[in-house]
């Protein structure tokens, strides 16, 4: 590959595939980035205007992903230049890892869009446009993720969501003179300003997306306590970044008897599993304690009272964490077996099996165990694969990576001010 070429779909290792950055001056690269950002925005706008998920829609979706890849490649070059380091050292840095994860996510966009384009063409040829639309996206406005709730979060809904979580999780400190709230992950009380009502299934996906993944709901649970946890902001940041997940509290290699015992519990218990021991944030102390985040591995999530979030939303978050983990496993210096490790130890009926097939198709058959959390649809299951859940998880990963970029920039600004 030439040094000034952007990565294209199918590239498996950008560190090996792209050699030293171009000899362009920094301001030339910045100008090129600005131009590419404009093209990405224009492509996204065109995609937003699509009303149906036909071949034109998926063709444009591929163009969006390809331009995102090109922009990602340019940002990589700028990042390496600014760090003045080798590719390998850069790839082991936080900035490098984040850009590599974005690269894998955009590659997944390309893969899914191409697969949907190919399927759509076949269905349109055989059954016509209307049948193809019904078969691939039955009544769902999700598409590529642009017809969902990507605006600002409704403050009224969020406030009600937080209040419900505080009440049902019994988060308030028993001493009325202490204005503190309980975080079940850290097992510590925190000032209210240091806590957040976190969503398990992403709120940006919207209620229609939630219904398409989990089935009809009398009342949307997107902003209900069943879809969230009231916890510290420190926990929210690390959970959103995929540094830990929440799974059933059974032994790491449970017997059938241990699984049955957990399933028979009226009130289910869960535990923390650390997915990224080496990340710098996991080596930091928890609040004002001496305990570090990575030491929470296998610790019980200590909910106050008997209320628990729905297992299906925890399982969706787990699938998303595994998708992000699969991306990381392609680049970072860890044993491949570590990235194939299963953390959710119990089978169940959490998400439609066709949706889970979409995840397995995206991650590879090393993650075939995810299907154990599947439920068959009312219709006969003939091996169909639905990519909607994967698209939502992939987009949420991209959002979280963008938020991490913003947090890092804020930290840099604060250091300069000091």
């Amino acid at each position: 590959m030439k040094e000034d070429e952007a990565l294209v779909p199918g590239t498996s290792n950008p560190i090996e595939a792209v050699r030293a950055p171009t000899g362009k001056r920094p301001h030339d690269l910045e100008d090129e980035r600005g131009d590419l950002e404009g093209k990405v925005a224009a492509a996204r706008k065109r995609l937003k205007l699509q009303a149906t998920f036909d071949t034109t829609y998926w063709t444009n979706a591929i163009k969006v992903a390809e331009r995102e890849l090109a922009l990602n490649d340019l940002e990589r070059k700028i990042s390496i230049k600014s760090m003045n380091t080798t590719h390998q050292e850069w790839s082991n840095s936080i900035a490098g890892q984040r850009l590599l994860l974005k690269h894998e996510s955009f590659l997944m966009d390309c893969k899914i869009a191409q697969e949907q384009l190919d399927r759509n063409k076949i269905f349109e040829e055989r059954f016509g446009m209307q049948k193809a639309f019904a078969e691939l996206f039955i009544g769902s406005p999700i598409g590529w993720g642009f017809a969902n709730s990507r605006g600002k979060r409704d403050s009224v809904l969020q406030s009600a969501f937080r209040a419900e979580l505080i009440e049902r999780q019994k988060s308030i400190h028993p001493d009325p003179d202490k204005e503190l709230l309980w975080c079940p992950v850290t097992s510590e009380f925190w000032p209210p300003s240091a806590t957040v009502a976190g969503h398990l299934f992403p709120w940006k996906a919207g209620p229609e997306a939630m219904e398409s993944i989990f089935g009809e709901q009398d009342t949307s649970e997107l902003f209900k306590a069943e879809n969230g946890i009231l916890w510290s902001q420190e926990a929210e940041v690390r959970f959103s970044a995929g540094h830990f997940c929440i799974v059933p509290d059974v032994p790491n290699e449970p017997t059938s008897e241990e699984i049955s015992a957990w399933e028979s519990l009226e009130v289910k218990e869960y535990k923390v599993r650390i997915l990224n021991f080496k990340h710098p944030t996991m080596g930091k102390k928890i609040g004002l304690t001496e305990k570090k985040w990575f030491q929470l591995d296998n610790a019980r999530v200590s909910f106050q009272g008997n209320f628990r979030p729905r297992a299906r939303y925890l399982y969706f978050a787990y699938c998303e964490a595994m998708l992000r983990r699969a991306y990381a496993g392609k680049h970072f210096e860890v044993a491949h077996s570590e990235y194939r490790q299963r953390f959710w130890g119990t089978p169940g009926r959490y998400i439609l099996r066709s949706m889970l097939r979409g995840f397995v198709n995206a991650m590879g058959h090393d993650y075939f165990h995810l299907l154990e959390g599947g439920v068959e649809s009312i219709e006969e299951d003939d091996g169909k694969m639905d990519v909607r859940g994967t698209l939502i998880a992939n987009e949420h990963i991209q959002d979280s990576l963008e938020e991490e970029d913003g947090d890092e920039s804020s930290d840099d600004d604060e250091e300069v001010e000091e």
Side-chain angles (χ1 to χ4, degrees):
M1 177 181 283
K2 294 180 181 179
E3 292 177 356
D4 60 348
E5 287 180 339
L7 291 169
V8 295
T11 302
S12 60
N13 190 333
I15 295 301
E16 294 177 358
V18 182
R19 297 178 177 81
T22 66
K24 292 182 179 180
R25 290 172 295 181
H27 71 270
D28 291 336
L29 290 175
E30 291 293 347
D31 289 344
E32 190 176 346
R33 177 162 62 179
D35 181 55
L36 270 174
E37 286 174 344
K39 289 180 179 179
V40 168
R44 282 179 173 271
K45 186 175 181 179
R46 283 195 296 273
L47 196 62
K48 266 186 177 181
L49 298 176
Q50 288 288 130
T52 58
F53 308 117
D54 55 13
T55 53
T56 301
Y57 177 90
W58 292 112
T59 299
N60 286 335
I62 292 171
K63 290 179 180 178
V64 169
E66 288 176 339
R67 289 180 177 179
E68 292 276 22
L69 276 169
L71 179 58
N72 175 266
D73 183 46
L74 184 61
E75 289 175 339
R76 179 198 59 79
K77 293 175 180 178
I78 293 172
S79 178
I80 294 174
K81 268 186 174 294
S82 67
M83 291 177 64
N84 191 26
T85 187
T86 65
H87 283 92
Q88 193 57 53
E89 289 174 343
W90 172 83
S91 69
N92 290 328
S93 70
I94 297 300
Q97 290 181 10
R98 194 173 296 139
L99 283 168
L100 287 173
L101 285 173
K102 285 184 179 181
H103 170 82
E104 292 299 330
S105 180
F106 294 140
L107 278 180
M108 186 58 64
D109 282 346
C110 273
K111 176 185 176 182
I112 292 175
Q114 186 61 59
E115 288 176 349
Q116 292 301 114
L117 176 63
D118 295 340
R119 289 179 64 200
N120 212 316
K121 286 180 178 177
I122 292 172
F123 276 101
E124 286 183 11
E125 289 172 1
R126 291 183 181 178
F127 308 110
M129 179 79 74
Q130 185 174 0
K131 174 69 175 178
F133 173 75
E135 182 69 25
L136 295 175
F137 282 92
I138 302 171
S140 170
I142 303 171
W144 198 243
F146 297 107
N148 57 21
S149 308
R150 291 190 61 81
K152 289 186 177 181
R153 179 160 43 187
D154 188 309
S155 60
V156 174
L157 284 176
Q158 183 64 19
S159 295
F161 177 57
R162 178 182 173 88
E164 185 185 10
L165 278 170
I166 291 173
E167 178 184 357
R168 297 188 70 180
Q169 285 187 193
K170 302 185 184 302
S171 304
I172 298 175
H173 197 286
D175 184 345
D177 293 331
K178 295 182 178 180
E179 295 184 3
L180 299 170
L181 296 175
W182 181 255
C183 170
V185 169
T186 62
S187 296
E188 299 284 344
F189 281 101
W190 296 71
S193 61
T195 64
V196 63
H199 285 77
L200 298 172
F201 183 79
W203 67 269
K204 283 188 176 182
E208 295 88 357
M210 174 177 267
E211 192 166 296
S212 73
I213 302 293
F214 303 106
E216 287 189 27
Q217 300 173 339
D218 293 335
T219 303
S220 173
E221 292 184 340
L222 189 62
F223 280 88
K224 301 295 289 183
E226 286 79 2
N227 183 39
I229 299 178
L230 191 287
W231 49 17
S232 67
Q233 290 180 351
E234 290 188 10
E236 167 80 359
V237 167
R238 288 161 177 80
F239 185 80
S240 296
H243 297 328
F244 75 88
C245 62
I246 296 174
V247 301
D249 189 5
V250 296
N252 293 341
E253 296 184 7
T255 63
S256 57
E257 291 78 13
E258 288 168 332
I259 292 174
S260 296
W262 184 86
E263 291 176 336
S264 67
L265 292 173
E266 184 175 348
V267 178
K268 303 292 192 295
E269 299 295 351
Y270 294 89
K271 66 179 181 180
V272 172
R273 289 307 312 273
I274 302 301
L275 302 177
N276 194 346
F277 283 89
K278 296 181 179 180
H279 195 278
T281 61
M282 301 306 286
K284 292 185 177 181
K285 294 179 180 179
I286 300 172
L288 300 177
T289 72
E290 292 301 312
K291 195 169 187 176
K292 296 182 178 179
W293 277 94
F294 72 83
Q295 294 175 315
L296 290 180
D297 192 40
N298 281 304
R300 174 168 288 186
V301 180
S302 52
F303 291 105
Q304 306 278 67
N306 294 333
F307 176 77
R308 302 289 185 272
R310 287 204 195 282
R312 60 190 181 187
Y313 303 139
L314 285 168
Y315 196 74
F316 182 88
Y318 171 70
C319 290
E320 180 183 311
M322 291 300 99
L323 180 61
R324 183 166 180 152
R325 190 173 178 81
Y327 294 162
K330 295 183 179 181
H331 299 290
F332 307 149
E333 296 177 345
V334 294
H336 182 59
S337 59
E338 181 182 337
Y339 280 87
R340 293 185 297 174
Q341 183 178 353
R342 60 190 299 170
F343 296 91
W344 192 285
T346 62
R349 296 166 58 83
Y350 308 120
I351 300 175
L352 288 175
R353 191 177 297 274
S354 58
M355 296 281 180
L356 295 178
R357 287 196 186 96
F359 278 103
V360 173
N361 179 65
M363 291 183 263
H365 286 283
D366 287 341
Y367 294 86
F368 197 77
H369 67 273
L370 292 178
L371 295 180
E372 293 177 2
V375 55
E376 306 294 350
S377 61
I378 297 176
E379 302 173 355
E380 182 181 354
D381 191 327
D382 58 357
K384 290 180 181 177
M385 182 181 68
D386 194 323
V387 299
R388 286 175 287 183
T390 313
L391 284 171
I392 291 169
N394 196 46
E395 188 165 322
H396 192 229
I397 289 171
Q398 293 174 12
D399 286 343
S400 68
L401 289 168
E402 290 296 333
E403 288 172 5
E404 288 174 46
D405 283 340
D407 292 340
E408 190 172 87
S409 297
S410 298
D411 291 342
D412 291 342
D413 291 343
E414 290 176 6
E415 291 175 5
V416 171
E417 289 174 5
E418 291 177 0

